[in-house]
Amino acid sequence: MKLHYSIDSCAEIFEAEVVGSSLDIITHVYFDSRKIQQAKGALFFALPGHSRSGNEFIESAYKQGIRFFVIAKNTSVKFQADAVYFKVQDVLGALQQLAKYHRRQFSYPVVAITGSVGKTTFKEWIFHCISDKFKVVRSPKSFNSQIGVALSLLEMHESASIAFIEAGISKSGEMKILRDMIQPDYGIFTAFGKAHRENFANNEEHLLEKWVLFRECRLAFIPHTFADLENRLPINFQVCEAYENHRFPKGYSGMLGVLKTFLAYLQFEPEEIRERIDSLPTLALRMEVFEGINGNTIINDTYNLDLDALSEALIYQRQLAPEKKRIVVIGLSEKHSHERLEIERLISSFDPDEFHFIPEGKSIPWENFHQAVVLVKAHRDRAFEYEVARGKALKHRTIVEINLSAIKHNVSFYQSRLPKEVKILAMVKASSYGSGAEKIAPYLQHAGITHFGVAFADEGVELRNAGITGSIVVMNPDPEHSDLIIEHQLEPAIYSFEQLDEFITALIHRKTSAYPIHLKFDTGMHRLGFAPADKERVLAIVNSQPEVRIQGVYSHLADADNPNQNTFTQKQLAIFDSIVSYFRAHTSDSFLAHILNSEGSLRYPESCYDMIRLGISMYGYTENKALKPSLQASVSWYSSISQIKNVPKGDFIGYGCSYEAPEDMTIAIVPVGYADGFRRSLSNGKGSVFIHGIKCPVVGRVCMDMIMVDISSVTAKVNDQVEIIGVNQPMEVFAKAMETIPYEVMTGLSRRMHRVYVEE
Ligand SMILES: *Cc1c(COP(=O)(O)O)cnc(C)c1O
């Protein structure tokens, strides 16, 4: 901050009553006495909230050498003879007046960036793209609040040529104040997400409020998703087309479109635009979570170290595995060493088990970390990537990426469709359909899920070890595992008299009573389960044995997704209904009745009973075309190119010489094979992968650990990403190529591959 204001001009700007006098010049401002670094020339704003508790902050600031203060009129403060006090009605208002005045001293363009998500990302993107051609002033960190915007504007100086100012609001009415301060020449709208909506009556109101910022702009740039507002916006705007870029998730195409259009507006050539967008940093977009050595889980968030992002990451760390040890690692560069105290204070308030500052030139002591959730944060300039990579468990360069936000979205979607009182039992058997139950279940628990379903007892034990405290139903328990089940408070599904007898015996040995069990009935699928006619006998046993208590009565549909089998399904439902009625009439146990899986829940909503068992759709997959657009796919599967070769016409590729190059071609070798779940039946063109969005068919046979693909029509290099499942090749399409269903693809993804969890 390089201001140059005299006491007199400040008095005029603030319309303040002044106590004291000085000829010194005000060069910068503070509002937090803990952040004071250079007292000379500093003006301290005693903001309410920051200085309410008496005047200790004013005093502390004075002790640190501050001599200029803006205080509220009614503050009773002991005036020091060598200090100057501006007494104002509204301290924040005074700060904003100064910002507004300061902004008016410059005639270069000021661009306001708003949107409920993506502001900081966009600001960093634009900086990345234009900072070699323009001298840019940009909001520091994520400063976009009523105070933050003022501070950002005070950063403006005469040698700059353009300014980007973030604007964010949390309450109605705030945007007008921001506009008055920023007086933007141009506006940029990033995106409209789910964040920050709590305080707004509805989305419409929120949107209208945002446009207030752009009311007097020469031109506002808005994403294509708002095209339908074309005639309703009271501003001058340009709708920007979507811009797809394979390096970014789909959700970013709108923001990238705005970036592209804006760069074109700044007279960048199309070629330059493409180049710059291709080199954008992607790290800002999300926190990466992956498995580390020694059983650690690593959260890699090394893109920036601003305090907001840090506290978000700390919250996330706590959620991720509440029972695990938490370690925080901060890569602090010399340049930022003054921030140490503040960072330390914030981290302490989260009470981690350990935290480490890693000074420049020093390494992360990964060897000392065991079974912990390690959060690594650093400034971008610290280039900490390599250090983080050392902590990664060296597995396979082929990864399965699981999008947690998608899973949350899908659960919410079901919640919104189901009657309020219907519970969701999340099916996390087979390690959450291959996506990693130890990560997915805690995440779901945090999102409010209280019931979980697994196939076998050891899967249930795994959940308990991962901190699941809710109800865990074991669907196909092995009689030998009764002790394991009781020890971990799992709830077995009981499907036969032998098993019931055996389980009750185990309970008697352990002197346990009223243990929750689920009774499983076979209503027509002919898998595990009591016959409907067994209901009287089952009930008689259960009623006479105080060791057990009925927690659930359930069955399973054989063809829930098939409209041609409605009659059959209705028959199953009717049989189940008579079983449930019978139990309701003859037991005082208040149990949960449940029969519907993902597909059934939407097709037979009247049969939800007390709970549904949500599996495949939670992960984003369905056979139901009408439902499909409402769900988000959660699983992607990526690898990267190990080697590239030119194969002359007539040469063979792979085992068995099954493929002969019909002409000169270029192939890539990709380290994924049938041992990973990329089946051998995908050999020789039956299967494909996508590289840079282009389909590359498999040539030759699929090997155990490798495939060869034809990349003759792509420009690619070693290490380029290979999509096996993702936006170009959705799960369902891949499953079809393997002549199977998403369930089998998901659960067939081998354990040797890294699971990477992302949250957008
Ligand atoms: C796997 C399973 C489910 C979940 O089925 P989806 O089709 O994946 O929703 C429900 N109930 C039982 C008994 C299951 O085994």
Side-chain angles (χ1 to χ4, degrees), residues 329-332 357-365 382-384 386-387 390:
V329 174
I330 304 287
L332 205 60
F357 279 97
I358 311 292
E360 228 148 350
K362 288 276 176 325
S363 314
I364 302 176
R382 179 66 203 274
F384 225 39
Y386 172 73
E387 271 303 310
R390 284 202 319 117

Side-chain angles (χ1 to χ4, degrees), residues 179-221:
R179 182 189 69 209
D180 284 350
M181 251 193 294
I182 305 171
Q183 301 157 66
D185 300 290
Y186 296 98
I188 282 180
F189 195 86
T190 54
F192 187 57
K194 283 195 264 305
H196 315 305
R197 279 197 200 160
E198 310 78 38
N199 294 336
F200 290 87
N202 57 40
N203 301 343
E204 184 90 6
E205 188 192 331
H206 194 171
L207 265 177
L208 284 176
E209 168 92 25
K210 299 235 161 190
W211 303 122
V212 168
L213 180 64
F214 302 148
R215 182 92 25 99
E216 282 144 29
C217 279
R218 269 185 254 166
L219 188 60
F221 296 82

